[in-house]
Amino acid sequence: MTPAGSMDEGLRNELSRQGVFVVKLTDLYNWGRKNSIWPLNFGLACCAIEMIAASMARFDISRFGAEVFRPSPRQADLMIVAGTVTKKMAPQVVRLYNQMPDPKYVIAMGACAISGGPFKQGYNVLKGIDRYIPVDVSIPGCPPKPEALLHALITLQKRIESEQFAGPNPAPRLARGAPGEYPVPRLGAHDIEPPFNPEVWQPPKLVREE
Amino acid sequence: MEPLEQLRARAEASVPGAVLEIVPNACPADPPSLRVDPGHALAVAWFLRDDPQLRLDYASNVTGVDWPETVTKEKARVKRMVDGVVKEFETVVEKRRPGFLEAVYHLYSMELKQGPVILRQRTGDRDRAVTVASLTPVWRGAEFQEREIYDLYGIRFEGHQDLRRLLMWEGFEGHPMRRDYVEPDDYDYEPTPHADVLEKARKHYPAPPAS
């Protein structure tokens, strides 16, 4: 008996002509998951307006099965961090992420969610949500167009489609020792503490060319 | 709109004891403003809102200004006796102006379609005497803006019913919009820093010792 996935292509085609479809259970499962991604219904700044535009009739995110914006993190698969994350808001964003059930994904939408954007050197804006939670897809732009959000969603769908649950390359969240939830930062006297989660993100090293 | 001098005289006549000062603005485009002492600010504000010729019923903007202590040097001529002869000397006189904080209100009248009248309140200094009168009882829209000024500049508003920080969190120390605010050293690497950011980069990553 051949292992699943290594079925002869000719035999598979012949069977499908006869009305018998042979797929791996993993593929079927991923196919179902990728076509019903439920995003968490929350927006932080102007990028959220573009996210709303993407969900309306003109761009219509429901073509990709992601129109069910859930108001509760318990029912959501995808967190779209759409906008500026202030330091005051960061603990709540991390807490919402912790409250989402696995499997869960994060899209960082726009310059602010990726790096702090134009507010990076300010006193009250987080320099990127990837300091606390793992980000799957980042969308550059200020703000990104709805098409860019759709592109990110399709990118995420491709990733979900190729996810493995066993074998040599399982999904990162299934790895042994992967954290179930991420530490929520505290609001300190001048900054949030810690300023980043070293297990998720490390500051880039300065390379001097002198 | 009546001239500011006339407005000031009427306000002083209406509110006994109020001391109002017309503060000129160095910028040619900006109109001069009216400075009121915090003790009578609320009464003057009620007058500005209810006076039938003014009806300033809308506070479009409330903001804070930080004026740190400045030392200006001015040249002055001094006469002195030298060997029985009076001679003139040029000396440099240092003028020290103590620091203070200001809350500035921009007032318009929706009813009479006029404005703005700019009202200022000044604190005694920047550390201890930082209390001015809250004008939220007169203009409800000033509530959040006074909270923001309290948060970012540290002016306390006497009579504000809910004076909490607005943008920063409870437990945050300092007032970020003050000129002498020292932010935490949280710079991280950028490929092309410039201007102020480059200065931050140099401070954060001191140059390696020459080998």
Side-chain angles (χ1 to χ4, degrees):
Chain A
M1 192 178 161
T2 54
S6 63
M7 188 180 181
D8 182 54
E9 202 62 30
L11 178 59
R12 195 203 294 266
N13 291 342
E14 178 60 31
L15 281 170
S16 72
R17 263 199 295 280
Q18 302 296 327
V20 179
F21 296 96
V22 181
V23 289
K24 281 189 290 179
L25 196 59
T26 308
D27 291 344
L28 200 63
Y29 178 57
N30 283 344
W31 174 77
R33 279 197 314 136
K34 82 167 181 145
N35 287 307
S36 72
I37 301 170
W38 290 5
L40 183 58
N41 188 6
F42 92 116
L44 295 171
C46 28
C47 282
I49 305 296
E50 300 295 308
M51 182 179 75
I52 294 160
S55 72
M56 299 310 290
R58 187 181 177 91
F59 297 98
D60 199 6
I61 205 166
S62 63
R63 291 179 292 156
F64 307 96
E67 80 280 21
V68 194
F69 280 85
R70 304 312 293 182
S72 161
R74 301 290 188 203
Q75 301 169 347
D77 307 309
L78 168 66
M79 176 184 248
I80 303 174
V81 185
T84 317
V85 188
T86 58
K87 286 177 180 170
K88 199 176 177 181
M89 183 60 91
Q92 282 84 311
V93 174
V94 178
R95 191 168 286 126
L96 281 173
Y97 179 77
N98 284 341
Q99 287 171 351
M100 284 163 62
D102 263 332
K104 53 191 172 184
Y105 304 93
V106 178
I107 290 179
M109 183 178 184
C112 296
I114 295 171
S115 71
F119 313 111
K120 179 165 183 165
Q121 299 297 335
Y123 51 85
N124 64 343
V125 171
L126 184 68
K127 298 177 178 62
I129 193 63
D130 59 338
R131 286 165 187 241
Y132 293 107
I133 56 178
V135 172
D136 294 280
V137 184
S138 296
I139 319 171
C142 187
K145 286 178 155 192
E147 293 97 315
L149 179 59
L150 297 181
H151 182 244
L153 187 70
I154 294 165
T155 310
L156 185 67
Q157 283 182 336
K158 282 181 183 156
R159 175 174 293 199
I160 292 172
E161 200 175 14
S162 64
E163 253 184 16
Q164 299 294 320
F165 304 104
N169 290 314
R173 70 192 143 79
L174 299 172
R176 193 174 293 276
E181 60 179 48
Y182 290 85
V184 177
R186 231 165 31 80
L187 294 171
H190 290 283
D191 204 349
I192 41 179
E193 296 164 357
F196 56 88
N197 179 0
E199 287 177 15
V200 180
W201 185 87
Q202 290 281 348
K205 297 275 188 299
L206 177 69
V207 182
R208 283 193 188 271
E209 291 177 358
E210 299 154 42
Chain B
M1 190 89 202
E2 63 187 312
L4 205 58
E5 284 80 9
Q6 190 188 328
L7 195 160
R8 172 187 156 206
R10 287 205 304 122
E12 279 182 341
S14 163
V15 182
V19 183
L20 281 90
E21 181 200 351
I22 292 175
V23 182
N25 196 325
C27 170
D30 280 4
S33 52
L34 206 58
R35 180 187 151 199
V36 59
D37 61 305
H40 297 90
L42 194 62
V44 169
W46 281 117
F47 164 79
L48 293 176
R49 200 196 73 165
D50 294 336
D51 184 72
Q53 288 175 48
L54 293 168
R55 304 291 290 164
L56 297 166
D57 48 14
Y58 175 54
S60 88
N61 178 38
V62 186
T63 189
V65 188
D66 180 17
W67 297 94
E69 187 182 270
T70 53
V71 178
T72 47
K73 287 181 179 173
E74 279 181 19
K75 281 183 182 173
R77 291 188 168 274
V78 180
K79 284 178 184 174
R80 241 183 252 157
M81 288 279 279
V82 178
D83 302 331
V85 186
V86 177
K87 280 188 179 176
E88 258 193 358
F89 288 95
E90 259 196 2
T91 54
V92 176
V93 181
E94 276 195 357
K95 277 193 176 173
R96 188 178 295 273
R97 196 211 58 203
F100 55 87
L101 302 161
E102 268 184 351
V104 185
Y105 297 73
H106 287 225
L107 310 171
Y108 288 82
S109 172
M110 285 287 137
E111 197 175 315
L112 303 179
K113 305 272 180 288
Q114 63 183 8
V117 170
I118 302 165
L119 195 67
R120 283 169 192 266
Q121 295 189 71
R122 203 170 277 186
T123 64
D125 57 33
R126 296 171 76 246
D127 311 309
R128 283 179 287 277
V130 288
T131 304
V132 299
S134 169
L135 303 186
T136 307
V138 185
W139 296 287
R140 186 65 208 276
E143 184 189 340
F144 267 34
Q145 303 191 54
E146 285 182 349
R147 275 180 66 186
E148 186 183 354
I149 295 167
Y150 164 67
D151 186 356
L152 302 181
Y153 290 92
I155 302 177
R156 300 195 67 88
F157 289 90
E158 186 90 47
H160 195 287
Q161 72 270 43
D162 184 27
L163 196 64
R164 289 177 293 135
R165 282 185 180 272
L166 183 68
L167 299 176
M168 310 309 286
W169 52 89
E170 291 296 324
F172 186 83
E173 282 172 16
H175 304 286
M177 286 293 277
R178 286 205 189 181
R179 303 213 174 194
D180 51 2
Y181 174 72
V182 181
E183 57 191 355
D185 181 21
D186 59 351
Y187 175 84
D188 58 51
Y189 174 74
E190 274 180 39
T192 55
H194 53 271
D196 293 347
V197 181
L198 182 63
E199 202 53 44
K200 266 188 182 178
R202 285 199 178 122
K203 274 184 193 153
H204 189 84
Y205 298 107
S211 53

